[in-house]
Amino acid sequence: MTTLLVIAKEPRPGRVKTRLTPPFTPGEAAALAEASLADTLDVVAATPATRRILVLDGEPGPWLPAGFEVLRQCAGGLDERLADAFARCDGPALLIGMDTPQVTPELLATDLADGDACFGPAEDGGFWALGLAVPDPALLRGVPMSTPVTGAVQRERLVAAGLRVRELPRLRDVDTAADAHAVAALAPHGRFAARLARCASVTAR
């Protein structure tokens, strides 16, 4: 089976989801980030895996379910932190972020035995998932992160290395308020949708 990795920040006001402010306050943005992370971790916990690892910037909280190893993110840019996460795996590994609470166990239960890599593009030009049958940190180092071409560059890096890449469905990250409402509509029964409804109700007053 596969190691499932989630890379995340501790959901503290002013440190996460800053593009949600406005219309939300920093506290509301952090609460939305926590709900998104909790939904994501629950899905990972429900997906068969060899190991489940949270690669965390910050401290774990009550949102962390049982069954996860917690590893600290290394210093450096996001490319270095993603590369380091893969470096800690000794077999097939799939990495996702905390920004797609609409993810499902079916999406994560990908079999890397029939290919070298899987790649989940995001609507903003990045990627929400990257799986490697043989984790190689060099495949991520130097990829420009958080740009409209991040996903294209990362995918081309995989192809240029001669890997067979299987495409996963395109998903929408939660970055803006519009993203939050669109994603909540896709997973209306999760913590994220419930938290968004409460925040939106307060904001509308």
Side-chain angles (χ1 to χ4, degrees), residues 9 14-26 28-30 32-33 99 123-126 145-148 172-180:
K9 285 184 179 180
R15 294 191 68 247
V16 292
K17 294 296 157 210
T18 55
R19 290 174 61 190
L20 292 177
T21 58
F24 302 109
T25 68
E28 289 171 334
L32 287 166
D99 302 330
E123 289 190 7
D124 63 1
M145 295 290 164
S146 303
T147 79
R172 185 168 183 168
D173 288 334
V174 174
D175 291 318
T176 66
D179 294 331

Side-chain angles (χ1 to χ4, degrees), residues 94 107-108 110 118-121 128-131 166-171:
L94 175 68
L107 286 173
L108 299 185
T110 181
C118 61
F119 182 78
W128 67 269
L130 176 62
R166 183 156 60 86
E167 292 285 334
L168 299 176
R170 184 180 300 272
L171 297 185

Side-chain angles (χ1 to χ4, degrees), residues 65-84:
F68 281 80
E69 302 172 48
V70 178
L71 301 178
R72 302 294 180 189
Q73 290 185 26
C74 72
L78 181 55
D79 63 317
E80 289 289 345
R81 287 178 277 143
L82 295 179
D84 181 69

Side-chain angles (χ1 to χ4, degrees), residues 86 93-96 117-120 127-132 140 154 158:
F86 276 107
L94 175 68
L95 181 143
I96 65 171
C118 61
F119 182 78
F127 59 93
W128 67 269
L130 176 62
L132 297 173
L140 293 106
Q154 181 62 75
L158 303 176

